[in-house]
Amino acid sequence: MSLSHLYRDGEGRMDDDDDERENFEITDWDLQNEFNPNRQRHWQTKEEATYGVWAERDSDEERPSFGGKRARDYSAPVNFISAGLKKGAAEEAELEDSDDEEKPVKQDDFPKDYGPKKLKTGGNFKPSQKGFAGGTKSFMDFGSWERHTKGIGHKLLQKMGYVPGRGLGKNAQGIINPIEAKQRKGKGAVGAYGSERTPQALQDFPVVDSEEEAEEEFQKELSQWRKDPSGSKKKPKYSYKTVEELKAKGRVSKKLTAPQKELSQVKVIDMTGREQKVYYSYSQISHKHSVPDDGLPLQSPQPPQPGKEAKAPGFALPELEHNLQLLIDLTEQEIIQNDRQLQYERDMVVNLSHELEKMSEVLEMVEECERRMQPNCSDPLTLDECARVFETLQDKYYEEYRMSDRVDLAVAIVYPLMKEYFKEWDPLKDCTYGTEIISKWKSLLENDQLLSHGGQDLSADAFHRLIWEVWMPFVRNIVTQWQPRNCDPMVDFLDSWVHIIPVWILDNILDQLIFPKLQKEVENWNPLTDTVPIHSWIHPWLPLMQARLEPLYSPIRSKLSSALQKWHPSDSSAKLILQPWKEVFTPGSWEAFMVKNIVPKLGMCLGELVINPHQQHMDAFYWVIDWEGMISVSSLVGLLEKHFFPKWLQVLCSWLSNSPNYEEITKWYLGWKSMFSDQVLAHPSVKDKFNEALDIMNRAVSSNVGAYMQPGARENIAYLTHTERRKDFQYEAMQERREAENMAQRGIGVAASSVPMNFKDLIETKAEEHNIVFMPVIGKRHEGKQLYTFGRIVIYIDRGVVFVQGEKTWVPTSLQSLIDMAK
C-alpha cells in the first residue's frame, strides 16, 4: 500500500482520499473531556495494538466506542462535506485583528457541529453531567473529581512537596485564576499563528520568549553532531594572551593572601599528557597553551582497542617545546615585572608631587617668618604669632614637621624672639613669668624619641637647646647674685619651673649653682653668733634636693657639737635648734649625736639632783625629762637607772626606818610615778624599780609587827600594791590588744602564721609588723650583694648578718637595733 496519499501535494493541499488519514489535531471534544472523570474511554483493540495507526477503523469523524466494530460499506456512494467558502484577504485581515482582542468565548457562540460528535454507543454526556468547557465550571468545584478516584493525584502532589492549604510553585505563590485556554484560529500546528499566551499567563509569568536566541542555541547544538561534509581535518585552536591580560593577572597575583601564596608554591605532577611533567606552582599549569593534537577528534579520548596500535603523532619535540615554554614564561614574568615597576614609578611620582606641594607650602611659611624677622620690617614677628605658625606646621604638615630639622629652624627664628622676650626678666621677683609660653614651645619643639631614650643631646632636641642657650643664662646671672639665707624666692622660682624645664637642666641648676652656694654658706655659719637658725634656710630645699644635702649634714653636726660643749640643760635654746633636725638626720646619726653631746649633760644634771621629801626642788628633773622626745627611751631609762633610782630608793628606805607616815609615803610614791610618761613606765627597767619600791614598803609594814604602827598602814600599803600591779596588768593587756588589732588590720596574721624560710624573710616579717618599708634598691649592689632600703636605712645581708651603711663603712647590727634605727 502506497503512503503517498499521506503527504501534501506541491500546492500544500491534502489528498481527497481521507480514508487512510489519521487526524492528530486536538479538537474541542478533547479539551472538554480532558478533565472529565466520567468520560467514555476508548480501549485499544488487539488489531490497533498490532498495526498501530494502520489499523482499520469504523470512521475518522467519530470517536471509537465500546459498541463493537461495524463493517464499512464500500458500495455506498461518496459523500462530500462542505468546508465553507474561501474567505477573501480583507476578511482574513479582519479575522486576525479580532484575534488580538482575545474576547472570551461563550458556550452559546459555538456552532452546533463545533462540539464533540456523538459516539455510536448512544450519545454524549448525560444532561445531569457538567461539562468541562472553558469558563463553564466554577472554580469552587475544581478538583471535585478527586472523590471519584483513589486520590492518586493528591498523593502525587504530596510526594512532590505539596502542602495542603498552600499554593503551587517554587515559593508556594500559586495563581489566582485557573489556567486559561486560548482558541487557535485555524487547524495549524502549535505556534503557527503567533504567541498563544493569554493575558493571565503574561501577568503571572512575565517571561519574554526569544525565538532568535532559541534558534541560535539549537543550531549551535546541532552543529556539534554534524560531520564536516568536506572531510578535512579541523585546524588546531590556539589561545593567546594579550599584554593587558598579563598585567591584570600580575596585579591580582600580587594581592594573594598568605594561604594562597603557600598553595602557589605546591609541587604539582601533571600526568594528563603523554609524558609526566612536574610543575612547582598551580600558576604554571594555567600558563600552558591549550593546543589540541592534529590527529585527535573533538570527542573525549577512548582507550585503544585490542589489536590496534596507537597512531604516533607526526611532530613531537619535547625539548623544543620545553624551551619555548620556558621562553614564554620568562617573557610573561618580565612583562609583569616591568608593569609593576612602571606602576611603582608612577605611584612614586604622584607621592613625590604631593610631597613637593606640601614642602613648597612649608617653605613659603618659613620664608614669610624670615622676612618678618628682618630689622627694617614694618610688621615684625612676635613670639605668639611664631608659635601659631609652628602649630600650623605641626597640625597640617605633621610628617614633614617631624622629619625636618627643627633645631636649625628654631635657632634661626625662635631663639632671637625668645631672647627679646626674657630680656627684662627677674626670676626672683616674678617667678612665673614666661611659664605658659615656654610650656607651649615645649609641646612644639621637644623631641619625643629623645625623651623615650632619656638622652640630652642638644643637637637633636630644639627645646632643650632653647632652654640651655636662652633661659639658662638668665638663671645663672640671678643665682650669682642670690643670697642663700634668703631661700624662699629661689625655691618658689624652681618650684614653678620644675615641671617645664628638662630634668637634666634642673639637676645642673641644683648641683652646679645652688649646692655650692649652700655649702659655702654652711661653712661660714656659726651657731653661737648667728641669730637666724640654719634649718630656716636649709630645710626649704629638702623637697627639691633631698639626698643632695647629705654632704652638708656632717659639717652642721660638727658645728653643733662644738657649740654644745659648754651647754647646760637649763638652756632650752639647744632643743629649739636641734629639734628640726631630728627627722632630717638618719636615725643612727641622730642617736649617735645625742649620746655624744646631750646624754652626758643630762646625766650630770640628774647627778646633781637632790631628793628631799620634805623640800624637793624639781628643776633639774624637769630639764632632763623635757628631752624625752629628743633622745631615745633606752637612753633616758639608762640615765634614770644610773642617776635617779638609786638615790630615790635610798631615800625611801631611810624614810621607812624612822616610823614614817605611810599616807605621806604613798602620796610621795604616786607623785614621783606621775612624773614619768606611759612609754617610760612601760619599760621593764622602770617597772622593776617601782615594783621594788612597793616590795620595800610591804617588807617595812610586815616587819614591824610588835612595834607601834599607824592604824590602817598595812592595809593601805597592801591596797596600793594591789592597785599598782593591776594597773600594770591592764596596761600590758591593752598593749597586746592594740598590737593584735594592728596586725589584723595590716593582714599580718597570715604572714605571722608562716615560719620564715631564711633571714631575709624574717627581716621582711619584722618590717611588716612595725610598718616599715623594706624593698630592694634596683641596680645597686655592694660586693655582689643586693642592697635594700629598711625605712630610710640602706642595708645588705651577708651570711645571716645585717650590715648598715655608716658614714665611712658598713657596720654589722642586730635586728632589734635596726628596727629602732628605722623608727
Side-chain angles (χ1 to χ4, degrees):
M1 182 176 60
S2 175
L3 299 178
S4 60
H5 61 279
L6 296 177
Y7 298 93
R8 298 177 183 269
D9 54 10
E11 298 179 358
R13 295 174 299 180
M14 298 295 297
D15 292 344
D16 297 333
D17 189 7
D18 294 338
D19 294 341
E20 300 298 332
R21 185 183 66 181
E22 179 70 19
N23 191 358
F24 290 96
E25 293 181 357
I26 298 175
T27 64
D28 295 327
W29 186 91
D30 295 327
L31 296 175
Q32 290 178 347
N33 290 276
E34 179 65 26
F35 298 102
N36 184 7
N38 298 323
R39 69 178 183 274
Q40 294 183 359
R41 303 176 182 272
H42 168 68
W43 298 98
Q44 191 178 28
T45 62
K46 183 177 181 181
E47 186 178 3
E48 291 177 347
T50 304
Y51 297 103
V53 296
W54 287 280
E56 293 184 357
R57 295 187 181 181
D58 295 340
S59 176
D60 292 338
E61 297 182 1
E62 293 182 357
R63 291 288 178 181
S65 64
F66 295 96
K69 185 176 180 181
R70 186 178 59 180
R72 191 167 184 178
D73 188 7
Y74 291 98
S75 62
V78 178
N79 295 328
F80 295 94
I81 299 175
S82 175
L85 299 178
K86 181 177 178 64
K87 296 180 181 180
E91 295 179 356
E92 291 181 356
E94 294 177 359
L95 183 61
E96 292 178 359
D97 295 337
S98 63
D99 183 62
D100 296 337
E101 299 176 0
E102 295 184 350
K103 296 181 179 181
V105 182
K106 297 182 180 179
Q107 183 70 20
D108 299 338
D109 298 339
F110 287 105
K112 294 181 180 180
D113 56 352
Y114 192 77
K117 297 181 175 59
K118 293 183 180 181
L119 301 178
K120 294 182 180 181
T121 55
N124 205 346
F125 294 94
K126 296 180 181 180
S128 61
Q129 294 177 346
K130 297 180 181 180
F132 280 80
T136 60
K137 181 173 175 58
S138 64
F139 180 69
M140 299 300 295
D141 295 335
F142 179 76
S144 60
W145 52 271
E146 184 74 15
R147 60 175 175 266
H148 301 291
T149 64
K150 296 182 179 181
I152 186 62
H154 186 66
K155 293 178 181 179
L156 291 175
L157 288 174
Q158 286 183 339
K159 287 182 178 180
M160 290 183 286
Y162 171 71
V163 179
R166 298 178 62 182
L168 300 177
K170 180 179 180 181
N171 300 320
Q173 72 276 9
I175 57 176
I176 299 177
N177 299 323
I179 299 175
E180 298 180 0
K182 181 180 179 181
Q183 181 180 2
R184 195 177 300 125
K185 299 175 184 178
K187 297 183 179 181
V190 177
Y193 303 100
S195 175
E196 298 186 2
R197 301 187 63 184
T198 62
Q200 184 65 31
L202 292 174
Q203 181 180 356
D204 294 339
F205 306 98
V207 180
V208 180
D209 298 332
S210 179
E211 298 181 358
E212 296 180 357
E213 294 180 0
E215 182 65 22
E216 183 179 355
E217 185 68 21
F218 173 74
Q219 293 297 334
K220 182 178 180 181
E221 295 178 357
L222 185 62
S223 62
Q224 296 181 359
W225 296 94
R226 291 179 180 175
K227 188 175 181 181
D228 191 1
S230 61
S232 60
K233 298 180 180 179
K234 287 195 173 182
K235 297 180 180 180
K237 295 181 179 179
Y238 296 93
S239 61
Y240 299 95
K241 292 182 180 179
T242 63
V243 176
E244 298 299 331
E245 292 177 354
L246 287 177
K247 293 180 180 179
K249 185 177 181 181
R251 297 189 187 101
V252 173
S253 62
K254 190 176 181 180
K255 301 178 181 179
L256 291 177
T257 58
Q260 292 175 338
K261 291 181 179 178
E262 294 177 359
L263 292 176
S264 63
Q265 303 298 327
V266 174
K267 182 180 179 180
V268 182
I269 300 176
D270 184 10
M271 303 182 68
T272 58
R274 293 186 298 271
E275 297 180 358
Q276 176 179 328
K277 297 182 180 180
V278 179
Y279 301 98
Y280 294 96
S281 65
Y282 287 109
S283 60
Q284 293 184 1
I285 299 179
S286 62
H287 290 169
K288 295 194 305 179
H289 290 287
S290 56
V291 184
D293 294 335
D294 295 344
L296 295 179
L298 293 176
Q299 292 81 3
S300 59
Q302 300 293 335
Q305 299 179 4
K308 293 184 179 181
E309 296 181 357
K311 184 178 179 180
F315 183 80
L317 292 176
E319 293 81 1
L320 181 58
E321 293 178 0
H322 173 75
N323 293 338
L324 292 176
Q325 186 64 39
L326 185 60
L327 291 175
I328 292 173
D329 295 341
L330 293 175
T331 305
E332 290 181 356
Q333 294 298 326
E334 184 178 359
I335 293 174
I336 294 174
Q337 187 66 27
N338 293 338
D339 178 64
R340 291 178 180 175
Q341 185 66 26
L342 179 60
Q343 187 64 32
Y344 171 77
E345 298 295 339
R346 289 174 178 172
D347 296 340
M348 182 61 68
V349 169
V350 174
N351 189 17
L352 291 178
S353 62
H354 289 297
E355 294 292 334
L356 181 61
E357 182 179 354
K358 290 183 179 180
M359 292 304 295
S360 61
E361 295 177 359
V362 173
L363 185 59
E364 289 179 1
M365 298 177 67
V366 174
E367 290 178 351
E368 178 66 18
C369 292
E370 291 180 351
R371 185 187 63 80
R372 297 178 63 182
M373 288 289 296
Q374 299 301 324
N376 299 326
C377 182
S378 59
D379 185 16
L381 185 66
T382 61
L383 195 58
D384 293 336
E385 293 176 350
C386 186
R388 286 194 292 270
V389 171
F390 273 78
E391 287 178 354
T392 305
L393 293 175
Q394 189 179 34
D395 295 340
K396 295 185 178 180
Y397 311 100
Y398 180 79
E399 294 297 334
E400 291 77 7
Y401 179 76
R402 288 296 177 186
M403 295 173 61
S404 63
D405 193 356
R406 287 174 288 172
V407 178
D408 296 339
L409 186 61
V411 169
I413 299 177
V414 183
Y415 288 11
L417 297 176
M418 195 67 70
K419 290 179 180 179
E420 185 68 22
Y421 183 80
F422 286 104
K423 183 173 61 175
E424 302 296 335
W425 176 46
D426 187 357
L428 299 181
K429 294 182 180 179
D430 190 0
C431 60
T432 60
Y433 178 79
T435 53
E436 296 182 0
I437 192 68
I438 293 296
S439 300
K440 184 184 297 184
W441 281 106
K442 181 179 180 180
S443 61
L444 295 174
L445 299 178
E446 195 167 23
N447 194 337
D448 299 335
Q449 296 180 356
L450 186 64
L451 289 178
S452 61
H453 293 83
Q456 55 183 39
D457 188 6
L458 292 178
S459 62
D461 194 289
F463 177 72
H464 290 197
R465 185 173 175 181
L466 171 67
I467 296 297
W468 182 257
E469 296 183 359
V470 178
W471 186 81
M472 275 296 292
F474 295 97
V475 177
R476 292 192 191 97
N477 186 25
I478 202 66
V479 170
T480 56
Q481 305 173 10
W482 167 66
Q483 294 298 326
R485 299 197 180 193
N486 186 18
C487 63
D488 293 337
M490 184 61 69
V491 172
D492 294 340
F493 162 69
L494 292 178
D495 285 337
S496 302
W497 288 85
V498 67
H499 301 293
I500 302 175
I501 60 178
V503 177
W504 65 273
I505 292 182
L506 178 63
D507 295 340
N508 181 270
I509 294 173
L510 296 177
D511 295 337
Q512 303 298 329
L513 301 178
I514 302 298
F515 183 78
K517 298 280 289 186
L518 293 177
Q519 189 175 22
K520 185 176 180 180
E521 193 66 23
V522 168
E523 293 176 357
N524 298 330
W525 172 67
N526 188 355
L528 298 177
T529 58
D530 287 339
T531 58
V532 179
I534 188 173
H535 67 270
S536 62
W537 50 273
I538 292 293
H539 289 184
W541 291 103
L542 287 173
L544 287 172
M545 304 189 70
Q546 297 180 353
R548 290 186 176 91
L549 296 176
E550 287 286 348
L552 300 179
Y553 298 157
S554 180
I556 291 174
R557 286 194 295 264
S558 179
K559 289 179 177 293
L560 291 175
S561 178
S562 300
L564 291 173
Q565 290 180 359
K566 298 180 179 181
W567 171 76
H568 190 269
S570 60
D571 186 4
S572 62
S573 61
K575 182 182 178 182
L576 297 177
I577 294 175
L578 295 177
Q579 189 173 9
W581 294 97
K582 184 176 184 297
E583 301 298 331
V584 177
F585 294 158
T586 60
S589 60
W590 174 259
E591 184 66 20
F593 180 82
M594 290 287 107
V595 171
K596 180 181 178 181
N597 300 286
I598 303 298
V599 173
K601 303 288 184 180
L602 298 179
M604 292 175 58
C605 187
L606 278 178
E608 297 174 356
L609 176 65
V610 177
I611 300 177
N612 185 4
H614 302 288
Q615 189 178 1
Q616 184 67 53
H617 296 282
M618 301 294 295
D619 295 338
F621 182 81
Y622 291 149
W623 296 338
V624 175
I625 293 299
D626 194 34
W627 285 86
E628 180 181 352
M630 300 292 291
I631 62 177
S632 62
V633 176
S634 59
S635 299
L636 180 59
V637 170
L639 289 175
L640 295 175
E641 287 180 339
K642 185 177 180 180
H643 301 285
F644 173 75
F645 281 110
K647 293 188 295 183
W648 185 74
L649 292 175
Q650 185 180 3
V651 171
L652 177 63
C653 292
S654 301
W655 194 1
L656 291 173
S657 61
N658 296 322
S659 300
N661 186 351
Y662 285 96
E663 293 182 1
E664 293 180 356
I665 292 176
T666 303
K667 293 179 180 179
W668 180 78
Y669 171 85
L670 295 177
W672 275 108
K673 192 174 183 180
S674 63
M675 295 295 178
F676 300 98
S677 63
D678 294 339
Q679 189 176 5
V680 175
L681 292 175
H683 197 276
S685 299
V686 177
K687 191 182 300 184
D688 292 340
K689 294 299 181 181
F690 281 103
N691 289 332
E692 184 180 353
L694 290 176
D695 294 337
I696 292 173
M697 288 187 287
N698 286 320
R699 286 196 300 267
V701 173
S702 60
S703 61
N704 296 329
V705 177
Y708 173 77
M709 184 177 295
Q710 182 180 356
R714 185 178 292 107
E715 289 79 3
N716 292 337
I717 297 300
Y719 177 76
L720 176 64
T721 304
H722 177 72
T723 303
E724 294 299 317
R725 299 286 171 82
R726 186 178 60 184
K727 287 181 180 180
D728 293 342
F729 176 76
Q730 291 178 352
Y731 182 80
E732 292 178 357
M734 183 177 63
Q735 290 296 112
E736 292 178 357
R737 192 183 309 112
R738 288 179 181 177
E739 291 181 0
E741 291 177 356
N742 294 335
M743 292 175 64
Q745 291 178 358
R746 296 193 301 265
I748 306 301
V750 178
S753 62
S754 60
V755 179
M757 301 300 295
N758 50 35
F759 192 67
K760 176 179 173 295
D761 295 338
L762 178 61
I763 296 176
E764 185 176 359
T765 303
K766 292 296 182 181
E768 291 177 353
E769 291 178 358
H770 295 85
N771 198 18
I772 300 174
V773 178
F774 175 68
M775 59 183 297
V777 181
I778 300 175
K780 298 293 184 180
R781 292 180 177 272
H782 176 73
E783 296 180 355
K785 303 297 188 300
Q786 176 67 49
L787 297 182
Y788 300 90
T789 57
F790 192 86
R792 300 185 62 179
I793 306 172
V794 179
I795 64 171
Y796 75 92
I797 305 170
D798 186 13
R799 299 179 184 179
V801 180
V802 181
F803 290 84
V804 180
Q805 185 180 16
E807 294 182 359
K808 295 182 179 180
T809 183
W810 294 85
V811 181
T813 185
S814 63
L815 184 57
Q816 185 61 39
S817 300
L818 179 65
I819 295 173
D820 294 339
M821 294 168 61
K823 288 185 176 180

